[in-house]
Amino acid sequence: MALQALQSSGVAFRKILSHFPEELSLAFAYGSGVYRQVGPSSDQKNAMLDFVFTVDDPVAWHSKNLKKNWNHYSFLKVLGPKIITTVQNNYGAGVYYNPLIMCDGRLIKYGVISTSILIEDLLNWNNLYIAGRLQKPVKIIAMNENVALRSALDKNLKSAVTTAFLMLPESFSEEDLFIEIAGLSYSGDFRMVVGEDKTKVLNIVKPNIAHFRELYGSILQENPQVVYKIQQGRLEQQINHVMDPPGKNRDVEETLLQVAHDPDCGEVVRRGLSAIVRPSSMKQSTKGIFTAGMKKTVVYSSLKLHKMWKGWLRKTS
């Protein structure tokens, strides 16, 4: 599986993980604190570390975490693990974040999502929230033998590639592809208007081409839709190669051909992505006021605005 290439044995990450209940189907770290970015997020040493913990039983996990890390939670902690899980599962993108936590001398943020909800997002892009983060390089810290989850992780990467192809010309570079993939989950995200640096996608991709190649290389080499010229770092789409033999699934073949050659295809795909991302990102951010608490929300938002302001000053200087 492609994601296995990015599994981490980092001692620092595992040490942080030891502060939390062990029942995790997947744990990964992501963001500028893990992979170097250019621009206002380039200070990797002092950047906040972002984690996502995937759990089979959120009620049981939050119950144990409340005993270990009571102070991580907002006022919702007094309502108990069942209410916390209800807020987690039924509002926003199905993830519950505790931000601005000091752990082993590092500032961290961690999100908790149920395994079943993550699998649904990976397969169907219901929110394209955590699924979108997993389309970019992440550090896998822990992963169990859940076959359905592993299959969904792989499917998510393949879907990202196929979607990006629809927004690209017949010939393009690796960087062009990775920029499209990294931008999928930011399409329509209102945080790209308020709170995030507008060049965020470029800042993620440019210093991490090798990591994207490691994540997607085998998928691209095995994909019959493209010729992957690894040495030149270029790809050429071969739309006809994905078609079944004549007479088999002809309706699907014709639809694929029409979509692939439609000059407005890229814009149609972007509008579709925005229709998924915009509402989930807005609801998740609103939910953050309750899960983080007002004080942390104000501090966290000010840090984001400061980062955006630094990026603007960098571009105008």
Side-chain angles (χ1 to χ4, degrees):
M1 189 181 73
L3 269 177
Q4 288 179 325
L6 296 182
Q7 288 197 36
S8 170
S9 59
V11 174
F13 294 137
R14 292 185 180 278
K15 191 174 179 183
I16 288 174
L17 203 61
S18 69
H19 291 270
F20 299 93
E22 296 180 353
E23 294 80 1
L24 303 172
S25 58
L26 173 68
F28 66 90
Y30 67 96
S32 59
V34 180
Y35 288 101
R36 186 176 68 85
Q37 296 181 17
V38 295
S41 298
S42 58
D43 185 8
Q44 188 175 13
K45 184 178 180 181
N46 296 314
M48 182 164 59
L49 292 174
D50 299 312
F51 295 88
V52 168
F53 303 148
T54 305
V55 301
D56 292 340
D57 186 342
V59 175
W61 194 91
H62 282 297
S63 180
K64 292 180 180 180
N65 198 44
L66 283 165
K67 293 175 182 176
K68 295 188 72 168
N69 300 300
W70 174 264
N71 63 328
H72 289 187
Y73 290 81
S74 70
F75 66 93
L76 291 177
K77 62 191 171 190
V78 301
L79 301 178
K82 289 185 179 179
I83 297 299
I84 288 173
T85 298
T86 298
V87 173
Q88 172 183 309
N89 290 343
N90 299 333
Y91 299 94
V95 59
Y96 189 104
Y97 273 106
N98 282 327
L100 302 176
I101 306 296
M102 286 303 298
C103 188
D104 278 341
R106 289 296 299 266
L107 191 65
I108 73 166
K109 174 183 75 176
Y110 66 93
V112 183
I113 187 170
S114 79
T115 306
S116 60
I117 288 177
L118 176 58
I119 289 174
E120 281 291 313
D121 196 24
L122 291 168
L123 294 177
N124 303 317
W125 289 6
N126 297 333
N127 300 299
L128 202 52
Y129 201 83
I130 301 303
R133 279 152 180 72
L134 285 161
Q135 290 165 356
K136 295 175 272 290
V138 301
K139 291 285 189 183
I140 304 293
I141 310 166
M143 182 162 54
N144 67 13
E145 297 301 319
N146 187 319
V147 175
L149 177 57
R150 287 172 177 262
S151 176
L153 288 165
D154 202 35
K155 179 68 162 54
N156 180 49
L157 297 179
K158 292 177 179 177
S159 297
V161 167
T162 301
T163 304
F165 283 167
L166 293 173
M167 297 186 285
L168 288 163
E170 290 186 9
S171 179
F172 49 90
S173 68
E174 282 181 320
E175 184 174 298
D176 293 333
L177 173 64
F178 299 149
I179 287 171
E180 289 291 353
I181 289 174
L184 295 178
S185 61
Y186 292 118
S187 300
D189 191 335
F190 87 102
R191 293 171 302 170
M192 298 301 288
V193 178
V194 179
E196 292 285 6
D197 179 23
K198 307 304 181 295
T199 59
K200 185 177 181 69
V201 174
L202 284 174
N203 295 344
I204 291 171
V205 173
K206 283 188 174 295
N208 293 299
I209 293 291
H211 295 302
F212 274 93
R213 189 182 296 128
E214 192 175 7
L215 185 60
Y216 287 100
S218 62
I219 292 174
L220 295 173
Q221 291 178 58
E222 296 168 5
N223 193 314
Q225 192 173 339
V226 292
V227 175
Y228 184 22
K229 301 177 180 178
I230 301 175
Q231 298 301 321
Q232 295 97 323
R234 295 199 63 81
L235 301 95
E236 293 181 2
Q237 297 204 58
Q238 306 288 317
I239 300 298
N240 291 331
H241 287 192
V242 298
M243 302 307 161
D244 291 324
K248 184 180 180 183
N249 297 328
R250 176 56 59 185
D251 55 339
V252 176
E253 294 173 17
E254 290 176 355
T255 301
L256 283 171
L257 281 170
Q258 289 173 1
V259 169
H261 293 295
D262 184 344
D264 297 323
C265 174
E267 184 56 34
V268 172
V269 173
R270 286 187 177 88
R271 287 202 299 268
L273 291 168
S274 294
I276 297 170
V277 173
R278 185 178 294 110
S280 68
S281 66
M282 292 185 70
K283 291 174 183 177
Q284 183 65 36
S285 293
T286 303
K287 172 174 152 183
I289 297 173
F290 299 95
T291 60
M294 186 58 69
K295 181 179 179 181
K296 283 187 177 181
T297 298
V298 171
V299 173
Y300 186 73
S301 298
S302 66
L303 289 173
K304 286 287 187 181
L305 290 170
H306 179 65
K307 187 186 294 185
M308 184 177 70
W309 178 250
K310 282 173 63 179
W312 183 82
L313 288 177
R314 189 185 297 266
K315 286 189 290 184
T316 56
S317 61

